[in-house]
Amino acid sequence: LEFINVDLNGKATFNIQLPRDLDKMSHVLLFLSSLSFMIFLKNQVTVNNEGTTDVNYLVFLEFVDALFTLLHNYLAANGALRLLYTVETFQALFISGTFQNYVPHGNMIDDSEGAKTAVYMRKMVSLGKLLNLNKNIDVYYAHKSPQMRKSLKSLWYAVSSYDSLESLEIGIPPKIKVSFLRYDDFTSPFTETSITMNQVLKLYYEIELMKDTNQFIDIIEKFFIEQWNVDK
């Protein structure tokens, strides 16, 4: 409601004035990318096509990409990129990039060798680190609501999962190489899987530095399998 007006007929309009309201544009990016996600879900209804729309969700993703590029170039020229590099922008780029790289009919799905997806994900990891998502989110984002902090934790674990999958696919070490924080109020098989995959891959790519490759197996058994059984 800070940047959208809805009239009595349900017509929505943006009420942003540029360049005065540039600080609101990251929220607009998130809104558009989230809207594309909702349109995508809406169009998955196949029973008699009820509930589907004629709106192409890719159009909104293209809006996000174009708007991000324009904002980035303008703010970079004016030394104000801090207005764009926010967690809202990170969320928007994750939604947009995930659709374009991993969903059928995405704009980049024809990349048979997977190079574009690897580059995209490594850029996302770098931006996430810039936003301190790899650190204690409860500390760095104490001013955010508990729901928002939980969302950011989930988002970083999701990025880690994609990072590990790209590592397996391309054969390069994962971009995330530091130990994960374990949150007492945010743990599940999903988070543990992300942590374990990251640690095993990081260790695997160090195997050439080991005097005895059996050391790799010993570490896996001791620090992953045995420890997992103890925790259970």
mmCIF file of all heavy atoms in Angstrom, residues 6 28 48 51 115 122 131 140 156 176-177 199 202 209 213 222 227:
data_model
loop_
_atom_site.group_PDB
_atom_site.id
_atom_site.type_symbol
_atom_site.label_atom_id
_atom_site.label_comp_id
_atom_site.label_asym_id
_atom_site.label_seq_id
_atom_site.Cartn_x
_atom_site.Cartn_y
_atom_site.Cartn_z
ATOM 1 N N VAL A 6 -5.415 1.098 -5.191
ATOM 2 C CA VAL A 6 -6.440 0.249 -5.803
ATOM 3 C C VAL A 6 -7.771 0.989 -5.730
ATOM 4 O O VAL A 6 -8.231 1.338 -4.639
ATOM 5 C CB VAL A 6 -6.551 -1.115 -5.077
ATOM 6 C CG1 VAL A 6 -7.604 -1.981 -5.764
ATOM 7 C CG2 VAL A 6 -5.209 -1.824 -5.066
ATOM 8 N N VAL A 28 9.140 -2.849 -5.348
ATOM 9 C CA VAL A 28 8.412 -3.024 -6.603
ATOM 10 C C VAL A 28 8.932 -4.255 -7.341
ATOM 11 O O VAL A 28 8.154 -5.041 -7.891
ATOM 12 C CB VAL A 28 8.549 -1.769 -7.492
ATOM 13 C CG1 VAL A 28 7.918 -2.011 -8.861
ATOM 14 C CG2 VAL A 28 7.899 -0.573 -6.819
ATOM 15 N N ASN A 48 -10.564 -28.443 -16.852
ATOM 16 C CA ASN A 48 -11.411 -27.581 -17.693
ATOM 17 C C ASN A 48 -10.865 -26.164 -17.811
ATOM 18 O O ASN A 48 -11.596 -25.238 -18.145
ATOM 19 C CB ASN A 48 -12.843 -27.531 -17.133
ATOM 20 C CG ASN A 48 -13.505 -28.884 -17.119
ATOM 21 O OD1 ASN A 48 -13.292 -29.698 -18.015
ATOM 22 N ND2 ASN A 48 -14.300 -29.145 -16.080
ATOM 23 N N GLY A 51 -10.001 -21.184 -13.822
ATOM 24 C CA GLY A 51 -9.093 -20.436 -12.965
ATOM 25 C C GLY A 51 -7.824 -19.975 -13.653
ATOM 26 O O GLY A 51 -7.074 -19.189 -13.100
ATOM 27 N N ALA A 115 26.069 -23.672 -18.028
ATOM 28 C CA ALA A 115 27.006 -22.626 -17.619
ATOM 29 C C ALA A 115 26.278 -21.399 -17.086
ATOM 30 O O ALA A 115 26.676 -20.808 -16.086
ATOM 31 C CB ALA A 115 27.903 -22.238 -18.787
ATOM 32 N N ARG A 122 26.114 -18.392 -8.649
ATOM 33 C CA ARG A 122 27.292 -17.879 -7.946
ATOM 34 C C ARG A 122 27.168 -16.380 -7.709
ATOM 35 O O ARG A 122 27.637 -15.854 -6.699
ATOM 36 C CB ARG A 122 28.560 -18.229 -8.736
ATOM 37 C CG ARG A 122 28.802 -19.733 -8.788
ATOM 38 C CD ARG A 122 30.014 -20.117 -9.598
ATOM 39 N NE ARG A 122 31.228 -20.076 -8.791
ATOM 40 C CZ ARG A 122 31.611 -21.042 -7.971
ATOM 41 N NH1 ARG A 122 30.852 -22.117 -7.806
ATOM 42 N NH2 ARG A 122 32.736 -20.952 -7.302
ATOM 43 N N LEU A 131 24.842 -9.144 1.646
ATOM 44 C CA LEU A 131 23.721 -8.778 2.507
ATOM 45 C C LEU A 131 23.769 -9.486 3.863
ATOM 46 O O LEU A 131 22.827 -9.391 4.649
ATOM 47 C CB LEU A 131 22.404 -9.115 1.807
ATOM 48 C CG LEU A 131 22.109 -8.316 0.537
ATOM 49 C CD1 LEU A 131 20.908 -8.899 -0.193
ATOM 50 C CD2 LEU A 131 21.867 -6.853 0.859
ATOM 51 N N TYR A 140 21.860 -9.624 12.382
ATOM 52 C CA TYR A 140 21.976 -8.616 11.328
ATOM 53 C C TYR A 140 20.627 -8.073 10.879
ATOM 54 O O TYR A 140 20.550 -6.991 10.311
ATOM 55 C CB TYR A 140 22.739 -9.189 10.135
ATOM 56 C CG TYR A 140 24.230 -9.252 10.348
ATOM 57 C CD1 TYR A 140 24.827 -10.358 10.942
ATOM 58 C CD2 TYR A 140 25.055 -8.191 9.986
ATOM 59 C CE1 TYR A 140 26.200 -10.415 11.155
ATOM 60 C CE2 TYR A 140 26.426 -8.233 10.197
ATOM 61 C CZ TYR A 140 26.987 -9.350 10.785
ATOM 62 O OH TYR A 140 28.347 -9.390 10.997
ATOM 63 N N TRP A 156 18.255 -18.502 2.235
ATOM 64 C CA TRP A 156 19.685 -18.778 2.164
ATOM 65 C C TRP A 156 19.938 -20.283 2.051
ATOM 66 O O TRP A 156 20.835 -20.708 1.314
ATOM 67 C CB TRP A 156 20.389 -18.196 3.383
ATOM 68 C CG TRP A 156 21.887 -18.371 3.320
ATOM 69 C CD1 TRP A 156 22.677 -19.093 4.146
ATOM 70 C CD2 TRP A 156 22.758 -17.782 2.354
ATOM 71 N NE1 TRP A 156 23.985 -19.008 3.771
ATOM 72 C CE2 TRP A 156 24.072 -18.210 2.662
ATOM 73 C CE3 TRP A 156 22.569 -16.945 1.249
ATOM 74 C CZ2 TRP A 156 25.182 -17.837 1.906
ATOM 75 C CZ3 TRP A 156 23.672 -16.570 0.493
ATOM 76 C CH2 TRP A 156 24.955 -17.005 0.826
ATOM 77 N N ILE A 176 29.507 -21.444 -1.689
ATOM 78 C CA ILE A 176 29.386 -21.293 -0.240
ATOM 79 C C ILE A 176 30.361 -22.275 0.409
ATOM 80 O O ILE A 176 30.182 -23.484 0.319
ATOM 81 C CB ILE A 176 27.953 -21.568 0.237
ATOM 82 C CG1 ILE A 176 26.973 -20.598 -0.442
ATOM 83 C CG2 ILE A 176 27.856 -21.433 1.758
ATOM 84 C CD1 ILE A 176 25.522 -20.860 -0.105
ATOM 85 N N LYS A 177 31.373 -21.740 1.065
ATOM 86 C CA LYS A 177 32.425 -22.596 1.616
ATOM 87 C C LYS A 177 32.593 -22.451 3.125
ATOM 88 O O LYS A 177 33.450 -23.096 3.709
ATOM 89 C CB LYS A 177 33.763 -22.278 0.936
ATOM 90 C CG LYS A 177 33.758 -22.509 -0.572
ATOM 91 C CD LYS A 177 35.089 -22.148 -1.201
ATOM 92 C CE LYS A 177 35.052 -22.363 -2.699
ATOM 93 N NZ LYS A 177 36.346 -21.994 -3.342
ATOM 94 N N GLN A 199 28.951 -29.461 2.961
ATOM 95 C CA GLN A 199 30.168 -29.890 3.629
ATOM 96 C C GLN A 199 30.825 -31.077 2.919
ATOM 97 O O GLN A 199 32.052 -31.134 2.806
ATOM 98 C CB GLN A 199 29.853 -30.247 5.083
ATOM 99 C CG GLN A 199 29.457 -29.037 5.927
ATOM 100 C CD GLN A 199 29.065 -29.413 7.343
ATOM 101 O OE1 GLN A 199 28.659 -30.538 7.604
ATOM 102 N NE2 GLN A 199 29.185 -28.464 8.261
ATOM 103 N N LYS A 202 32.398 -29.719 -0.333
ATOM 104 C CA LYS A 202 33.597 -28.946 0.000
ATOM 105 C C LYS A 202 34.752 -29.892 0.321
ATOM 106 O O LYS A 202 35.892 -29.681 -0.125
ATOM 107 C CB LYS A 202 33.317 -28.032 1.185
ATOM 108 C CG LYS A 202 34.497 -27.177 1.627
ATOM 109 C CD LYS A 202 34.079 -26.250 2.752
ATOM 110 C CE LYS A 202 35.258 -25.405 3.232
ATOM 111 N NZ LYS A 202 36.291 -26.239 3.885
ATOM 112 N N LEU A 209 44.261 -33.050 -2.115
ATOM 113 C CA LEU A 209 45.255 -32.560 -1.157
ATOM 114 C C LEU A 209 45.504 -33.568 -0.046
ATOM 115 O O LEU A 209 46.406 -33.376 0.778
ATOM 116 C CB LEU A 209 44.783 -31.235 -0.553
ATOM 117 C CG LEU A 209 44.480 -30.101 -1.553
ATOM 118 C CD1 LEU A 209 43.961 -28.881 -0.817
ATOM 119 C CD2 LEU A 209 45.724 -29.747 -2.372
ATOM 120 N N THR A 213 43.427 -41.089 0.134
ATOM 121 C CA THR A 213 42.035 -40.773 -0.207
ATOM 122 C C THR A 213 41.038 -41.491 0.697
ATOM 123 O O THR A 213 39.870 -41.100 0.768
ATOM 124 C CB THR A 213 41.748 -41.161 -1.670
ATOM 125 O OG1 THR A 213 42.126 -42.528 -1.888
ATOM 126 C CG2 THR A 213 42.543 -40.274 -2.614
ATOM 127 N N LYS A 222 32.781 -40.613 10.103
ATOM 128 C CA LYS A 222 32.874 -40.124 11.479
ATOM 129 C C LYS A 222 32.049 -38.866 11.702
ATOM 130 O O LYS A 222 31.315 -38.752 12.691
ATOM 131 C CB LYS A 222 34.331 -39.863 11.845
ATOM 132 C CG LYS A 222 34.522 -39.346 13.267
ATOM 133 C CD LYS A 222 35.999 -39.170 13.591
ATOM 134 C CE LYS A 222 36.190 -38.663 15.020
ATOM 135 N NZ LYS A 222 37.623 -38.469 15.355
ATOM 136 N N GLN A 227 27.739 -39.032 13.356
ATOM 137 C CA GLN A 227 27.187 -37.883 14.067
ATOM 138 C C GLN A 227 25.692 -37.762 13.821
ATOM 139 O O GLN A 227 24.925 -37.417 14.712
ATOM 140 C CB GLN A 227 27.900 -36.599 13.618
ATOM 141 C CG GLN A 227 27.462 -35.349 14.376
ATOM 142 C CD GLN A 227 27.739 -35.457 15.855
ATOM 143 O OE1 GLN A 227 28.824 -35.872 16.271
ATOM 144 N NE2 GLN A 227 26.763 -35.090 16.685
#
